[in-house]
Amino acid sequence: MPFSSIVPQEIAAVMSQVAPEEVDRLVQAIMDAEAVYVCGAGRSLLMMKAFAMRLVHLGLRAYVVGETITPAIQRGDLLIAGTGSGQTRTTLAMAEGAKERQASVVAMTAHADSPIAQSADLVVQIPAPVPGTAGQPRFSRQPPGSLFEQCLLILCDSVVMILMERLGVTEEMMHSRHTKLE
């Protein structure tokens, strides 16, 4: 089988296992939030940054934790943590900090029983293999972690599409909010 076929097949297999009701609750949490903050580490953070940009294109207040212009999170805000293992220390500290400030927390993770998931108000499980996690079967032929990150990005883009529909946001409206300085 050519490698170009392996990647989409693996993504489809994982995405078919994501619970639609978890996605619906995530969409509603975003719509209910005063502001949305995203966090993660490594390549998962890159996927979350892309998600934050799309939320801004939708006209929502969205921030990336750790950027110098990110305001303090507070009650009424939502933190969405993207984490394959669900145990990255810096991401866990961010989730705990958000809870201390009475913000809501969503974990988008491969492991619904992980420390970050346990601290979250909502878990959206993306059941992809993640390196360094004990007892996890390795069914992906891709480099470690790639399948989770790909599915995280696809899930985030799917959430954006749902939000576009529910908020009545058109592609033209999103394009008008796209950066014009490059």
Side-chain angles (χ1 to χ4, degrees):
M1 175 184 308
F3 288 114
S4 61
S5 299
I6 292 170
V7 173
Q9 287 178 0
E10 288 186 355
I11 291 170
V14 171
M15 293 305 295
S16 70
Q17 297 176 59
V18 175
E21 60 275 4
E22 292 175 2
V23 176
D24 285 341
R25 286 195 292 272
L26 170 59
V27 168
Q28 191 60 53
I30 292 169
M31 292 176 64
D32 292 343
E34 295 292 324
V36 178
Y37 293 71
V38 302
C39 70
R43 294 182 311 258
S44 294
L45 177 58
L46 295 174
M47 303 306 116
M48 298 308 291
K49 285 183 175 187
F51 185 42
M53 190 73 248
R54 287 293 188 208
L55 295 175
V56 169
H57 292 162
L58 284 167
L60 301 174
R61 289 179 48 216
Y63 304 98
V64 177
V65 175
E67 298 292 327
T68 57
I69 61 167
T70 300
I73 197 167
Q74 56 193 351
R75 178 193 297 258
D77 292 338
L78 175 67
L79 175 72
I80 305 174
T83 170
S85 69
Q87 52 191 337
T88 307
R89 289 181 186 159
T90 55
T91 307
L92 178 58
M94 291 173 200
E96 290 170 343
K99 295 296 287 185
E100 288 171 8
R101 290 164 186 81
Q102 299 179 335
S104 297
V105 175
V106 173
M108 298 177 76
T109 183
H111 298 284
D113 59 348
S114 65
I116 294 171
Q118 290 175 0
S119 74
D121 300 294
L122 170 64
V123 176
V124 179
Q125 186 175 16
I126 303 169
V130 177
T133 306
Q136 170 126 14
R138 172 121 175 93
F139 64 84
S140 178
R141 291 184 55 197
Q142 298 183 59
S146 291
L147 182 56
F148 173 80
E149 292 136 14
Q150 293 158 354
C151 292
L152 179 60
L153 181 62
I154 288 171
L155 180 57
C156 288
D157 277 349
S158 300
V159 167
V160 169
M161 291 172 64
I162 296 166
L163 286 165
M164 286 176 71
E165 182 178 279
R166 293 198 186 162
L167 298 172
V169 175
T170 64
E171 288 181 40
E172 293 77 21
M173 294 165 77
M174 289 181 75
H175 184 68
S176 73
R177 296 181 190 107
H178 197 278
T179 183
K180 305 290 187 244
L181 298 177
E182 57 272 320

